[in-house]
């Protein structure tokens, strides 16, 4: 006797918020409760300033909030009330203890499971929305069952989320697929069907896949590993391009036309970032090692290692080009978020590049349309990176202020707005020679060289200024 008119989600983050807002919008007959222990996060969800920036999210929240979408800190109360409970808490990499730096930290997950066990007074369907190591459902099952009361039965399903930040609302509205894993027994199949019916309100049936629990859990890690691998592969080739005169954009285009390879996700860059790729690959690596598969572990570890190399190489290129020193030089940083259209800075490549430059004495002036200085500083603190921020790390309200009297511009995030600037005006305000390092290959490099910039990008030879001599200032 599962009641399907109410669902809850523990964890009101980048995944819990947008996914539940979408369910509320697409299923007006379901009351959706998004729960979090963070008072400030819930307060923000209930305000006009949502805690995350995601294009299209504001409209959906405005449409549904108070109608059938509710944000509350009453976790235990709503867990009692709802029979279908998504769990979308954070599962970061462990920072200490066994498996530190690689294994997933499931402490938040276990707390959520215990909270469900304590408050359940009837049957519950618990859905893993967070990305978890394979076989987590078995551990969760044990925690729940050890605390079982009479009449209380738990079924655990896996429903990993594939949304990407910046396009979350589009991804949720039209997913490539929805993946649902469940136990093969009768209860499991019954619960799976209930969840299929929820998604079938807006997702075509043929795009809703059901598998066993372990395939579903593993597929999430593998999808991220394959995606990140494409980036590390093209980034590795970008280094070879720089040595040989090949142009990585041309190479990516040429290979991408092979329908077996496909054109997407082949943009060479300063490196991938985000809360998922590195964490999930390290998690996969750790699992392989735990299951006695060291060569498989080493194979995937390379994807992360190559990403580190790319971030370091990019920074070395900056320093080399600027006569081997950036000490006390003002450098304009365009973009601190890990990708465009998000304010998220988790594992952003900008953190590594900025840290390396500050270690060499550079004075950074950063502009990002969606990130605040405080948030960036928190990112340094979270990674225990200490600098004299008051002297070396300045935050600017616009790109023009960042550029004034600088020696170089570094593009670290591919924000569309960066393409529309008047770079010839920028160059006039800069020290000469004026350098531009395009870490995302988004600008017209020939045009920049014509204006008078020395242009360095990813995966093609640098361009010297081609400005006529009377235009050198
Ligand atoms: P997040 O940190 O933004 O949100 C997690 C939220 O859970 C936080 O607000 C935290 O306060 C809350 N929380 C933690 N423990 C709790 C508890 N016991 N009770 C109530 N609330 C609790 O994380 P996120 O980015 O939304 O990621 C969540 C999960 O989804 C992770 O496993 C992640 O790997 C996965 N995922 C993330 C993305 C992404 O793009 N961010 C995409 C797919 C999957
Ligand atoms: C990723 C997965 O795409 C998504 O399916 C999963 O649910 C969560 O992890 P996300 O990290 O939000 O999503 O963004 P994504 O678009 O995958 O970009 C990740 C990083 O790779 C960004 O730093 C991005 O700039 C970089 N990237 C992406 C490249 O450098 N080149 C590319 O071609 C694509």
């Amino acid at each position: 006797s599962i009641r399907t008119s109410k669902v809850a989600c523990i964890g009101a983050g980048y995944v819990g918020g947008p996914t539940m807002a979408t369910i509320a919008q697409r299923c007006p007959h379901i009351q959706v409760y998004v729960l979090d222990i963070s008072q400030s996060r819930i307060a923000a969800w209930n305000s006009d300033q949502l805690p995350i920036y995601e294009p299209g999210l504001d409209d959906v929240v405005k449409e549904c909030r108070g109608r059938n979408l509710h944000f509350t800190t009453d976790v235990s109360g709503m867990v009692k009330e709802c029979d279908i409970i998504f769990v979308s808490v954070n599962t970061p990499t462990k920072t200490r203890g066994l498996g530190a730096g690689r294994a997933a930290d499931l402490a938040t997950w276990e707390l959520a499971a215990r909270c469900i066990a304590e408050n359940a007074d009837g049957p519950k369907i618990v859905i893993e929305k967070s990305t978890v190591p394979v076989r987590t459902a078995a551990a969760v099952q044990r925690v729940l069952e050890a605390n079982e009361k009479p009449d209380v039965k738990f079924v655990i399903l896996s429903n990993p989320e594939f949304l990407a930040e910046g396009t979350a609302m589009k991804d949720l509205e039209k997913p490539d697929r929805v993946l649902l894993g469940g136990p093969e027994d009768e209860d499991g199949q019954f619960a799976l069907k209930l969840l299929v019916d929820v998604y079938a309100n807006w997702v075509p049936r043929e795009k809703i896949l059901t598998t066993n629990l372990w395939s579903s859990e593993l597929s999430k890690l593998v999808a991220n590993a394959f995606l990140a691998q494409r980036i590390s592969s093209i980034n590795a080739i970008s280094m070879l391009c720089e040595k040989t005169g090949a142009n990585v954009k041309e190479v990516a285009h040429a290979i991408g036309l092979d329908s077996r390879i496909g054109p997407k996700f082949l943009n060479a860059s300063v490196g991938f970032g985000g809360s998922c790729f590195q964490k999930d690959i390290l998690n996969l690596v750790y699992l392989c090692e735990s299951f006695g598969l060291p060569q498989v572990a080493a194979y995937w570890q390379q994807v992360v290692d190559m990403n580190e190399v790319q971030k370091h190489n990019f920074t070395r290129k900056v320093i080399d080009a600027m006569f081997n020193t950036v000490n006390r030089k003002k450098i304009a940083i365009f973009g601190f978020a890990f990708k465009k259209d998000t304010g998220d800075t988790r594992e952003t490549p900008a953190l590594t590049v900025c840290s390396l430059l500050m270690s060499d004495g550079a004075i950074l002036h950063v502009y990002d349309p969606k990130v605040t200085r405080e948030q960036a500083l928190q990112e340094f603190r979270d990674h225990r990176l200490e600098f004299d921020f008051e002297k070396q790390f300045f935050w600017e309200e616009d790109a023009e202020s960042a550029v004034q009297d600088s020696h170089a511009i570094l593009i670290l995030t591919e924000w569309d707005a960066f393409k529309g600037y008047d770079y010839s005006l920028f160059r006039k305000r800069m020290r000469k020679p004026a350098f531009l390092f395009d870490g995302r290959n988004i600008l017209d490099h020939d045009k920049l060289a014509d204006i008078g910039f020395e242009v360095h990008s990813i995966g093609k030879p640098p361009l010297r200024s081609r400005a006529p001599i009377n235009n050198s200032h």
Side-chain angles (χ1 to χ4, degrees):
S1 61
I2 291 276
R3 291 162 300 178
T4 55
S5 56
K6 286 181 181 174
V7 308
C9 174
I10 306 183
Y14 283 89
V15 170
T19 42
M20 292 303 122
T22 302
I23 291 183
Q25 189 196 32
R26 301 290 160 164
C27 312
H29 55 288
I30 299 180
Q31 290 292 322
V32 180
Y33 298 87
V34 195
L35 320 172
D36 208 291
I37 39 171
S38 161
Q39 299 258 3
S40 59
R41 227 172 197 187
I42 291 297
W45 279 112
N46 282 319
S47 76
D48 286 337
Q49 272 296 323
L50 301 186
I52 64 175
Y53 170 71
E54 194 59 68
L57 175 64
D58 279 26
D59 291 341
V60 178
V61 170
K62 263 192 206 122
E63 178 188 335
C64 305
R65 196 171 53 193
R67 180 188 79 186
N68 67 331
L69 177 64
H70 315 274
F71 297 93
T72 166
T73 51
D74 180 14
V75 184
S76 39
M78 293 324 300
V79 159
K80 198 168 281 182
E81 195 110 332
C82 300
D83 296 344
I84 300 180
I85 304 165
F86 290 86
V87 182
S88 181
V89 296
N90 39 324
T91 50
T93 306
K94 278 183 84 170
T95 52
R96 51 184 199 174
L98 202 62
R102 295 176 315 152
D105 188 343
L106 292 175
T108 49
W109 235 103
E110 188 174 329
L111 276 180
R114 287 183 186 277
C115 169
I116 296 173
E118 274 159 31
N119 292 292
D121 51 11
K124 304 275 177 197
I125 298 175
V126 177
I127 303 160
E128 294 175 345
K129 191 62 141 158
S130 304
T131 305
V132 291
V134 196
R135 299 204 70 85
T136 296
V140 173
Q141 187 86 45
R142 285 197 49 208
V143 171
L144 292 174
E145 277 169 5
N147 294 281
E148 213 166 67
K149 302 163 199 155
D151 302 329
V152 177
K153 210 169 185 181
F154 298 104
V155 178
I156 295 155
L157 302 181
S158 157
N159 171 213
E161 184 48 60
F162 294 100
L163 68 79
E165 287 176 29
T167 54
M169 300 314 283
K170 277 192 217 142
D171 296 340
L172 287 165
E173 187 192 325
K174 273 186 185 286
D176 285 347
R177 79 315 210 173
V178 167
L179 178 58
L180 306 175
E184 272 141 306
D185 60 10
E186 201 180 317
D187 285 346
Q189 295 303 303
F190 172 79
L192 267 184
K193 188 177 171 313
L194 287 186
L195 194 54
V196 169
D197 288 344
V198 171
Y199 281 105
N201 281 296
W202 79 97
V203 180
R205 243 348 202 271
E206 67 275 11
K207 293 202 167 178
I208 307 178
L209 243 69
T210 53
T211 66
N212 81 27
L213 270 171
W214 322 125
S215 307
S216 174
E217 287 180 340
L218 183 58
S219 296
K220 175 64 201 179
L221 296 182
V222 174
N224 275 349
F226 269 62
L227 288 168
Q229 184 199 39
R230 274 175 83 88
I231 304 170
S232 275
S233 296
I234 200 70
N235 280 348
I237 296 304
S238 79
M239 297 182 213
L240 186 58
C241 287
E242 287 169 19
K243 301 278 181 208
T244 55
N247 175 339
V248 77
K249 264 200 170 173
E250 292 175 350
V251 174
H253 182 64
I255 63 166
L257 286 175
D258 185 324
S259 61
R260 294 168 302 177
I261 296 175
K264 293 183 187 164
F265 241 70
L266 284 177
N267 294 320
S269 66
V270 54
F272 61 73
S275 64
C276 292
F277 281 173
Q278 176 173 308
K279 160 178 82 78
D280 293 348
I281 295 171
L282 293 176
N283 184 344
L284 183 68
V285 167
Y286 187 72
L287 273 169
C288 293
E289 277 176 8
S290 314
F291 287 113
L293 301 166
Q295 296 91 340
V296 184
Y299 177 75
W300 288 107
Q301 178 67 43
Q302 276 300 312
V303 175
V304 174
D305 293 350
M306 188 52 65
N307 198 46
E308 279 310 305
V309 171
Q310 184 74 351
K311 292 184 277 185
H312 281 78
N313 258 4
F314 178 79
T315 317
R316 179 169 312 135
K317 216 158 58 182
V318 173
I319 298 172
D320 281 356
M322 294 172 74
F323 318 111
N324 281 317
T325 176
V326 290
N327 192 27
R328 283 191 270 164
K329 287 181 180 166
K330 174 171 174 179
I331 295 180
I333 303 287
F334 286 8
F336 199 84
F338 83 95
K339 65 185 278 197
K340 72 170 179 177
D341 294 337
T342 178
D344 197 349
T345 55
R346 290 178 289 179
E347 304 305 326
T348 177
L351 186 76
T352 312
V353 173
C354 289
S355 295
L356 291 170
L357 290 174
M358 284 195 281
S359 300
D360 259 66
I363 297 166
L364 307 181
H365 287 247
V366 188
Y367 168 66
D368 187 291
K370 287 288 170 200
V371 179
T372 61
R373 179 169 192 260
E374 181 42 39
Q375 192 191 341
L377 290 179
Q378 188 58 44
E379 212 57 62
F380 285 99
R381 283 195 286 270
D382 288 349
H383 288 79
R384 297 200 177 80
L385 294 164
E386 282 175 30
F387 294 97
D388 192 348
F389 293 109
E390 296 307 311
K391 293 201 176 119
Q392 282 189 284
F393 195 73
F394 297 88
W395 208 258
E396 301 291 353
E397 290 307 310
D398 52 53
E400 215 174 315
S401 322
V403 158
Q404 188 68 42
D405 295 324
S406 67
H407 290 259
I409 297 174
L410 267 59
I411 312 260
L412 299 185
T413 311
E414 72 279 26
W415 284 102
D416 288 337
F418 296 166
K419 296 188 214 167
Y421 292 150
D422 182 349
Y423 283 91
S424 103
L425 179 78
F426 283 178
R427 183 179 165 277
K428 289 201 183 92
R429 308 252 155 107
M430 292 171 67
R431 302 292 184 87
K432 311 292 175 327
F435 293 91
L436 192 142
F437 300 89
D438 186 354
R440 296 289 186 166
N441 282 357
I442 54 169
L443 301 182
D444 182 338
H445 302 146
D446 286 315
K447 204 169 142 200
L448 289 166
D450 289 343
I451 291 171
F453 276 103
E454 176 169 324
V455 189
H456 296 254
S457 54
I458 305 280
K460 69 182 198 195
L463 296 174
R464 284 286 172 85
S465 163
R466 293 193 295 239
I469 201 126
N470 61 359
N471 184 30
S472 62
H473 285 285

